[in-house]
Amino acid sequence: MSKAAKFFTISMLALAVTGCAVTSQPIDRSVSEQRAQRDLATMFKDQEPLSGPLTLHDAMARAVKYNLEARLKVMEEALAKRQVDLASFDMLPRIAMEAGYAGRSNVSASSSQSVLTNTQSLEPSTSQDRDRGVADLTMVWNVLDFGVSYVSAKQQADQRLIVQERRRKVVHTIIQDVRSAYWRAVAADRLLKQIDGLMARVDDARNNSERMTQQRIGDPVQALGYQRALIEATRQLEEQRRALSLAKTELAALINLPLNTDFTLVADDSYQVPELKVDFNRLEEEALASRPELKEQDYQARISAAETRKAMLRLLPGLEFSAGGHYDSNSFLVNQSWADYGVKVTWNLFNVLSAPAAIDVAKAGESVAAARRQAISMAILAQLYVARANYNEAQRQFQTSQELASLDGQIAEQLRNRYSTQSIGELDLIQGELNTLQAQLKRDLSYAELRNAYAQLFVSAGLDPLPASLPDDQLATIASALETSESRWASGDVGALK
């Protein structure tokens, strides 16, 4: 090989290797900024505006409709439906169409040789044009493939139902999270103004005390102790404020409102204690029949059983039907277009060897699914019993917190009367009001825990807060349905549990 040829070969090889190299460029900052702007515009797009104070069921309705995680599950369900539609096409026959142009640089010629005398018996000849156009349309349908595809489509349909159960679970979780955040936000609305007012009074008292210390008025040790008590009171107030200040932000995130939105909540000052009027045995039955996790395992069991049927189907021979139309522009052909058809049996004999193992694996999958379902059933029953225990404890804790809040309120009132007659100092009054605020905070948070524990009983039983279908997707319709369901559960309506 000449040097020029070697150089050309090496150059082409280097060019080919360079062309196969893959590089990735970092995303430009402007692209990220544009994406962020689009996301911000999309996250809160097409939402019904707030028209007044937000009730608990309004907040739940907004979460069900607008929460981004719930939206994701809706999209996953829609994707699963399309996958079912796509799997259905696998049952159709295979139809292949080909068309093209064929040519060669010389004539396709051949001769014949006698097998007896080894002499040429036919001079070289051709029966094919050097350039020709061809087209084929062929349909092939395998009965075995149809059966396997049908079972696979059924499995895909079960996968779609699994996605629906997971969406149910997400809705249950989101509604429960909204309930918890809502009641804490109500407590924040009720107490933050009082905390801010008391903190302002504590700051004034601290400034006055520091000014008296600088002027050397009174006992320095007593003054410093007074200031220390005020700082401790400030620290306690700051802890309470921190516990409450993020409640509305968390609620806004759950219902997909812009986090800087200023909204008001409908407060309930009655502190009505919910009573469980439903037979607990009925809740047990519903939990084992309705929980999304168990229904998902039911569908998984069907998928595993279908996998066993597919393994058994592959043992059978396949019956294949074919039909097609063909065209060839070759001028030597008597018939340039024709149709053909046929029937044949195909059987992969190696499937006979591997099928027993495949069937054993599929049956083992069924056994695992059954064992998993039983384990989940036990866990769900445990959750239900824990929910009942939490509800009973939450009742007792709320009653205790309510009594303490009432007593601290009476003590604070007495301290105000004494302070007005200058019988006590300001620090005693501040400490009394601080105790009252702490008692009120514990009462409101324990009430929120009580409402959550009560609702958790029905969530643990797998009861859907929304019916299977609604006349429309308006927020008012969703909120009304949520309120109706909870009213029926509260009244012990067993028929509403289905």
Side-chain angles (χ1 to χ4, degrees), residues 294-468:
L294 287 176
K295 298 191 75 172
E296 178 179 343
Q297 290 305 314
D298 290 338
Y299 295 128
Q300 288 287 5
R302 288 204 320 205
I303 291 173
S304 298
E307 199 64 33
T308 304
R309 290 194 294 272
K310 284 167 65 175
M312 297 177 68
L313 280 173
R314 291 191 177 100
L315 277 172
L316 303 175
L319 182 63
E320 185 175 281
F321 300 89
S322 63
H326 310 275
Y327 170 77
D328 193 327
S329 65
N330 187 7
S331 61
F332 292 93
L333 291 176
V334 176
N335 297 309
Q336 292 184 319
S337 60
W338 69 96
D340 60 8
Y341 43 87
V343 178
K344 65 179 179 179
V345 176
T346 60
W347 195 5
N348 187 347
L349 296 180
F350 280 105
N351 284 347
V352 178
L353 301 177
S354 63
I359 292 174
D360 289 341
V361 170
K363 289 184 176 179
E366 292 185 57
S367 301
V368 169
R372 184 183 295 113
R373 184 181 64 251
Q374 293 172 4
I376 293 176
S377 297
M378 179 57 69
I380 284 174
L381 286 178
Q383 290 175 6
L384 186 61
Y385 275 82
V386 168
R388 183 175 65 172
N390 287 338
Y391 167 69
N392 293 332
E393 288 299 320
Q395 268 190 320
R396 285 192 287 269
Q397 290 179 5
F398 171 68
Q399 291 172 356
T400 302
S401 299
Q402 194 173 34
E403 291 174 0
L404 285 175
S406 177
L407 288 174
D408 282 333
Q410 296 176 33
I411 292 173
E413 185 63 29
Q414 293 295 327
L415 291 175
R416 292 189 193 96
N417 294 334
R418 292 187 179 185
Y419 179 74
S420 64
T421 60
Q422 298 183 350
S423 300
I424 60 172
E426 187 176 15
L427 178 61
D428 294 328
L429 176 59
I430 288 175
Q431 190 61 52
E433 292 183 345
L434 177 60
N435 291 338
T436 302
L437 269 178
Q438 289 177 334
Q440 290 176 350
L441 174 61
K442 291 178 180 178
R443 177 199 61 196
D444 286 6
L445 293 182
S446 63
Y447 184 70
E449 184 61 30
L450 172 61
R451 302 296 306 196
N452 294 338
Y454 173 74
Q456 188 62 44
L457 276 165
F458 299 100
V459 173
S460 299
L463 301 179
D464 290 322
L466 287 172

Side-chain angles (χ1 to χ4, degrees), residues 6 37 112 148 199 345 387 439 463:
K6 289 181 179 179
Q37 293 174 358
S112 299
V148 172
M199 288 181 69
V345 176
L463 301 179

Side-chain angles (χ1 to χ4, degrees), residues 147-182:
V148 172
S149 298
Y150 177 78
V151 176
S152 297
K154 295 286 288 184
Q155 288 178 308
Q156 193 63 52
D158 285 336
Q159 287 288 355
R160 177 196 172 191
L161 296 174
I162 287 175
V163 173
Q164 289 181 350
E165 295 304 320
R166 290 176 180 172
R167 184 192 172 200
R168 283 183 60 214
K169 179 64 176 178
V170 168
V171 170
H172 291 177
T173 302
I174 288 174
I175 287 179
Q176 193 68 354
D177 290 344
V178 169
R179 190 191 311 276
S180 175
Y182 183 88

